[in-house]
Amino acid sequence: MDFPKLFTVGPVYVRDEVREEMGRQMFSHRSSEYVDLHSGVIPKIQKLLFTKKPTFIYPSSATGIWESCARNVVEKKALSCVNGAFSKRFGKVIEANGKQVEVLEKPMGQPILPEELDTALSKSDADSVSIVHNETSTGVMNPLKELIKVCNDHDVVSMVDVVSSVAGAPIYVDKWGIDVCLFSVQKCLAVPPGLACASISERVLERSERAKNKGYYFDMKLLEKYHLKNNTPATPPIPQIFALSKALDLIFEEGLENVWARHKRVSDFVKKRCTEDMGFTLFPDPEYASQTLSCISTKEKGINAKELLAKMKAKGYIVGSGYGELKETTFRVGNMGNVYMGDVEEMLDVMQEVLGSF
Ligand code: PLP
């Protein structure tokens, strides 16, 4: 890894082989070269998600797919599962697109539990549920498989954001029965930002067919029409697609299960060092702590997280800051993408040394 070394929570460090793919000469997206690129990358994304469902490339970040869900999937009302800043924003985006939103809210750092979703859905007339698998703001990984089962038991459509977990933790779209599984590429896939993808179920496409006022750019039926021709309705971000294709090759070369296991191993190590050796506290409920980032609370030790990160930056290590109201009291060590044990060992040794100056 080059200096400064990145332990961010996205965008993250991008390998040279992946960055170089973005420097290729361009061609028209209506050319046979583009069809080859598109038809090559879609099966790789499907392999990543363990799905045979239609999978689309969106010329936007993940927020664009939230908008697409709001307009194509939610018929009248969504139940929004909220336990941090991103899950809250997903609900806000649905509301901003004119749909009703009911909220199931847990305190920051706590997971959304299946029994809580079950109770909420029993009393609700929502036709869709928004879930963020890995709440990047607090480092909580929600029990996705179990939450999806509850959605399917209630016959409501699931819209699942796997932005900061995909390629870093297991996600089985078809086996678990996820309707919309969406992500952008700048986290564990370690691709420069500007591209997002989603797998879409048949019942979601039926909803899109019926949807009124769904706009044009994020119309799922239109995306499907072009998907069937290995193309996209508008000009796609070709450099990012090249980069994503390469990043996926590298992941499959290492072995997807090995990549998940590496994320878990590295993240467990960060948590252990930060708590046992440095005396910090893990912010989320440990049973539901993320394996792609560690949200560490500095409050109990009376240390200002912003000051600590400034000192780390001066030493050449960029660690993710706390999110929003947690900026002064937490920091987030990202281990997304190509972060290895040796990298975190080195960074944590420096952090331990820096702590001596407080
Ligand atoms: N969802 C989660 C869990 C995130 O962490 C983020 C960004 O950090 C987003 C959604 C927003 O994604 P994007 O910036 O790709 O629109």
Side-chain angles (χ1 to χ4, degrees), residues 237-293:
I238 295 173
Q240 261 103 1
I241 299 175
F242 270 122
L244 175 61
S245 185
K246 182 71 181 179
L248 287 168
D249 287 344
L250 295 172
I251 285 170
F252 296 134
E253 236 169 68
E254 186 176 342
L256 185 53
E257 284 83 359
N258 296 335
V259 175
W260 298 338
R262 172 168 60 76
H263 277 80
K264 171 101 175 70
R265 212 165 42 243
V266 171
S267 143
D268 283 350
F269 180 76
V270 171
K271 290 172 177 65
K272 192 166 184 302
R273 284 279 311 262
C274 286
T275 55
E276 290 179 15
D277 296 356
M278 296 188 217
F280 289 127
T281 311
L282 190 61
F283 182 80
D285 179 338
E287 205 184 323
Y288 295 94
S290 168
Q291 65 185 62
T292 64
L293 77 137

Side-chain angles (χ1 to χ4, degrees), residues 9 61-64 66 86 89 132 134-136 161 163-164 184 186-187:
V9 290
S61 73
T63 306
W66 285 352
F86 292 103
R89 200 186 296 164
V132 169
N134 192 58
E135 185 37 90
T136 323
D161 169 321
V163 168
S164 59
S184 41
Q186 70 273 16
K187 305 220 183 239

